[in-house]
DNA sequence: GTACTTGCAAACGCTTTGCACTCTC
DNA sequence: GAGAGTGCAAAGCGTTTGCAAGTAC
């Protein structure tokens, strides 16, 4: 992520904190910084390990608490790959997307399809619901793992 | 669920057990029976409470283990509404469906849309994946909760 | 008789919380 | 200096597991 974008997101977080009577602390800013500099889907533990390299006294609980704040503030998004722990991704990366996950190697691809989104809206409306959000996870075998299968079958 | 269907499912489970060198026990059959007679999305704990009324000595661990077997055998399906616990639903009820969940009252509606399924397949294929499964949860406000909102706004 | 199963309780992994201390505003 | 935030350790939660006793086949 570009330095400039990082600055913007930091400002945005500070603003969010101020607006909600919360305080700007070195821990919170460090966690945000590490989070933004890392692409992908991090668990709280992974983020803790990374951030602790810069500040060994940083506690795991603070990471959990800060990730919640980041999600609330809209800078991070929770994702659940059903692998035990909740993961977080940067919300700024894309407006919206879903995930395609390899069941064997856990590699993930972010996908988006406008047509599916529209159909989801439609489906909700048909049932009288006002759609506020959704989560869609597609599970399968990625190209590499499919190739492995083919080889072993020979 | 009709008695006849229940019989069929019981037979199917016994067959699955035999085929895998597992045993037919009173606990397993009781859990299956309670599960089949209840529509909806049950947690292991809810099922344990129900089954315990018929057999007070039934252990929670046995319910967990049996639900895993039911899922493996294809009689039950795991669903995750992100409310903390894994839930199970009868697989025989529908070939396949997804869930529309009210964020306020937690009411759920089962939905299915052939067009969305096709697009999911297509999306996976575009990325070289072989699709094996998916989970889609739509979150929103149900008609009743929307009406409540409208009233309070007057 | 030989696995496989059971119930119990302990362990598990992720997450939250109570607390005394520290810091931001 | 008041209220929020921190790190720590303990607790919490749903779930899994080790074990000795019991049971299906």
């Amino acid at each position: 992520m570009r330095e400039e974008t990082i600055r913007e997101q930091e400002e945005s977080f500070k603003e969010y904190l101020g607006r909600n009577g919360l305080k700007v602390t070195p821990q919170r800013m460090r966690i945000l910084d590490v989070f933004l500099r890392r692409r992908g889907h991090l668990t709280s533990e992974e983020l803790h390990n990374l951030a602790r390299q810069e500040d060994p006294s940083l506690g795991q609980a603070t990471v959990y608490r800060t990730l919640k704040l980041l999600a609330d503030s809209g800078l991070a998004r929770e994702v659940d790959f059903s692998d035990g722990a909740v993961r977080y991704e940067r919300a700024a990366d894309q407006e919206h997307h879903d995930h395609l996950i390899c069941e064997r190697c856990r590699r993930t691809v972010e996908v988006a399809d406008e047509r599916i989104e529209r159909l989801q809206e439609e489906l909700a409306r048909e049932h009288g619901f006002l759609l506020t959000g959704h989560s869609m996870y597609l599970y399968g075998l990625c190209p590499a793992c499919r190739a492995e299968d083919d080889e072993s079958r020979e």
Side-chain angles (χ1 to χ4, degrees), chain A residues 35 39-44 46 67-68 71 76-91 94 96-101 106 108-111 134-137 139:
Chain A
F35 174 70
R39 92 169 54 225
H41 310 99
L42 296 167
T43 63
S44 180
E46 286 162 356
L67 280 172
K68 277 269 180 298
R77 204 185 284 126
E78 289 191 357
V79 290
D80 180 4
F81 295 165
S82 320
D83 64 346
V86 172
R87 291 170 178 279
Y88 290 83
E89 66 181 12
R90 299 183 301 211
Q94 285 102 344
H96 169 75
H97 62 265
D98 294 298
H99 296 91
L100 188 50
I101 304 153
R106 289 278 142 193
T108 67
V109 177
E110 291 168 356
V111 296
H134 75 260
S135 76
M136 184 174 89
Y137 297 92
Y139 298 95

Side-chain angles (χ1 to χ4, degrees), chain A residues 37-56:
Chain A
R37 290 176 190 284
R38 197 89 184 184
R39 92 169 54 225
H41 310 99
L42 296 167
T43 63
S44 180
E45 192 191 351
E46 286 162 356
L47 195 52
H48 183 219
N49 288 334
L50 291 168
R52 209 162 31 171
Q53 290 170 15
E54 298 178 17
D55 174 4

Side-chain angles (χ1 to χ4, degrees), chain A residues 112-138:
Chain A
D113 191 305
E114 190 51 47
R115 296 166 300 174
I116 292 179
E117 311 273 310
R118 262 201 301 276
L119 289 170
Q120 289 173 337
E121 290 269 3
E122 190 182 318
L123 199 51
R125 202 166 45 237
E126 281 169 16
H127 291 273
F129 275 62
L130 177 67
L131 196 64
T132 56
H134 75 260
S135 76
M136 184 174 89
Y137 297 92
L138 304 177

